Amino acid sequence: MPELEKPDLYTLADDGRRLHLIMGHCTQCEKHHFPKTGYGCPNCGAVPEHVRSELGEGRATLLTFITLHAKLVPTLEVPCIVGEAQIADGMIEEVMLLGAAEQYRDGMALQAVAHEVTRGERNVLACRFAPAED
């Protein structure tokens, strides 16, 4: 099985498909943030020792999305679908969506999943979001 493209951002769930997002949880302000960094809490400024790693389920709510047809960075394969999603209370992130635009609608539930991509001469598992299977 290929390795994770960004193991500091997510881990593979036991089912081998879903991804858990590695979030920071501040013990001072009790807020979460993503991605977890070594700089402490971006919400209250607490030092790194007050932030612990916590695995998020990788669920999100799609707020809006578009299809890109222009290659904005060298590794971007177009066309592709990008969106803004709420990955936790108050946390909105840009996400890459898997599949065709027709399957998406604003407000729908998403799940982070592993998607195999080629980077240079190797295959890795990248994070993509797909419709949640409830």
Side-chain angles (χ1 to χ4, degrees), residues 23 33 39 61 70 86 98 108 115 132:
M23 306 179 103
H33 58 274
Y39 301 111
T61 301
Q86 183 168 319
L98 188 61
M108 75 182 297
H115 178 69

Side-chain angles (χ1 to χ4, degrees), residues 34-110:
F34 179 83
K36 180 184 181 290
T37 70
Y39 301 111
C41 179
N43 297 303
C44 72
V47 296
E49 293 75 27
H50 290 289
V51 177
R52 68 174 192 258
S53 293
E54 196 168 287
L55 293 180
E57 292 186 19
R59 304 228 356 138
T61 301
L62 183 61
L63 302 175
T64 189
F65 63 98
I66 61 170
T67 301
L68 294 178
H69 296 278
K71 195 170 192 158
L72 302 177
V73 295
T75 58
L76 186 67
E77 296 197 18
V78 293
C80 66
I81 309 162
V82 296
E84 286 191 343
Q86 183 168 319
I87 63 169
D89 190 33
M91 277 190 278
I92 298 171
E93 294 289 331
E94 289 183 358
V95 298
M96 297 283 297
L97 302 174
L98 188 61
E102 294 78 26
Q103 67 185 332
Y104 294 102
R105 67 184 185 292
D106 293 353
M108 75 182 297
L110 302 174

Side-chain angles (χ1 to χ4, degrees), residues 2-3 11 13-14 18 24-25 29-30 38 64 76 82 84 86 98 101 103 107 118 123 125-126 131-132:
E3 62 187 46
T11 64
D14 291 340
R18 292 178 301 116
H25 178 256
C29 69
E30 294 299 323
T64 189
L76 186 67
V82 296
E84 286 191 343
Q86 183 168 319
L98 188 61
Q103 67 185 332
T118 303
N123 289 347
L125 296 176

